[in-house]
Amino acid sequence: MRELLSDLMGELKGRDIAEQLKLLVNRFPGEVVFSTSFGLEDQAITHFIAANTIPVNIFTLDTGRNFPETYSTWSRTVEKYKLTITAWYPEAKTIQQFITAKGPNSFYESVENRKECCYIRKVEPLQKALKGNKIWITGIRAEQSNNRHEMQMLEWDEVNQVVKFHPLLNWTWGQVKQFVSRNDVPYNPLHDKGFVSIGCAPCTRAIKPGEDFRAGRWWWEDNSKKECGLHIHAEVTAEK
Ligand code: SF4
């Protein structure tokens, strides 16, 4: 696997993002997917894909608890770029049993409940969305959290058996904002109200000046536990 990552890294080096995406879809036709939650980074990547007509399959995880603003951003994106975005949902029976047993907001009561909710609403649907694919494009940036500082642009995801590609890994928040503004990319209006990382409505708040990017996610929890299980840090990279 390390060899494949090194080869790919060598091929991607020195190319711009549109070229990198084209190279990946040519190398793995029909097996490159991009997950969007309609945050600013994801919108920038969607723009690269749509503006260059790159045949990447785009999907989103509709947890059922998103902000109304997220759904309107989704609509505006589809409308502007004439894209198909596949929506993945939690298993109806599993979510029914969970809510019936623990109530609709049990994630505030314990980390265990929160992780169970994230597992049902995000992790399981993600596993289905990634199945059979070779490359998973994400909007991860290194400055989003300490954990993400260690990431490489290409990583092997052992759980999902897929290579993750983070084209914006080294972009700053300012660069993403500038790109979105210059290219008139539709974006979630919550970003103008202090929200940076936008997830489910009951689990996301705006951050205050100077706070960490991820401070607005599950703010009632200890910092070290703030991942939802979508991005387990990979151990195999092109450089390790
Ligand atoms: Fe559930 Fe909150 Fe996780 Fe969304 S972010 S899946 S509401 S615990």
Side-chain angles (χ1 to χ4, degrees), residues 65 107 114 117-118 121-122 200 203 218:
R65 301 298 298 260
F107 35 76
R114 199 273 288 167
C117 186
C118 282
R121 293 184 192 272
K122 297 178 176 179
C200 294
C203 303
W218 312 292

Side-chain angles (χ1 to χ4, degrees), residues 4-6 10 31 48 56 58 75 80 90 125 129 145 152 192 216 235:
L4 170 68
L5 293 180
S6 295
E31 296 175 317
F48 276 113
V56 169
I58 307 177
S75 288
K80 174 174 171 119
S145 70
Q152 305 290 329
D192 293 332
E235 288 176 6

Side-chain angles (χ1 to χ4, degrees), residues 43-228:
Q43 290 302 94
I45 295 175
T46 296
H47 180 86
F48 276 113
I49 292 170
N52 295 284
T53 333
I54 303 171
V56 169
N57 297 316
I58 307 177
F59 73 87
T60 191
L61 306 175
D62 185 355
T63 63
R65 301 298 298 260
N66 291 332
F67 286 96
E69 289 87 343
T70 302
Y71 290 106
S72 69
T73 308
W74 179 353
S75 288
R76 285 186 292 123
T77 305
V78 169
E79 208 172 297
K80 174 174 171 119
Y81 295 114
K82 312 286 177 238
L83 284 171
T84 299
I85 298 179
T86 305
W88 289 87
Y89 290 90
E91 279 299 322
K93 191 142 191 79
T94 316
I95 196 73
Q96 182 190 33
Q97 284 169 346
F98 176 63
I99 299 297
T100 305
K102 298 192 171 176
N105 292 334
S106 65
F107 35 76
Y108 292 131
E109 290 160 19
S110 69
V111 173
E112 189 188 48
N113 285 351
R114 199 273 288 167
K115 288 195 168 172
E116 192 175 355
C117 186
C118 282
Y119 189 81
I120 296 168
R121 293 184 192 272
K122 297 178 176 179
V123 178
E124 271 186 340
L126 174 77
Q127 288 171 349
K128 287 186 201 154
L130 292 177
K131 206 164 182 190
N133 288 291
K134 292 278 191 321
I135 305 284
W136 171 20
I137 300 161
T138 87
I140 282 179
R141 287 184 307 107
E143 71 173 8
Q144 284 165 335
S145 70
N146 283 340
N147 172 20
R148 294 179 178 187
H149 271 297
E150 298 161 17
M151 288 183 169
Q152 305 290 329
M153 202 169 269
L154 281 175
E155 296 185 300
W156 172 244
D157 179 336
E158 182 64 32
V159 176
N160 294 300
Q161 296 287 297
V162 71
V163 172
K164 292 168 80 171
F165 175 49
H166 317 300
L168 303 185
L169 189 71
N170 299 316
W171 283 36
T172 63
W173 180 240
Q175 280 176 294
V176 183
K177 280 211 291 197
Q178 197 178 51
F179 179 87
V180 163
S181 158
R182 275 195 188 151
N183 292 285
D184 201 21
V185 179
Y187 67 91
N188 194 323
L190 291 174
H191 287 305
D192 293 332
K193 296 179 179 170
F195 290 76
V196 282
S197 171
I198 304 172
C200 294
C203 303
T204 308
R205 66 158 170 78
I207 62 168
K208 299 178 194 101
E211 270 190 318
D212 185 83
F213 276 101
R214 301 278 290 176
R217 302 294 294 277
W218 312 292
W219 64 91
W220 62 92
E221 284 182 8
D222 185 287
N223 248 346
S224 62
K225 302 189 175 77
K226 287 188 180 181
E227 287 290 351
C228 56

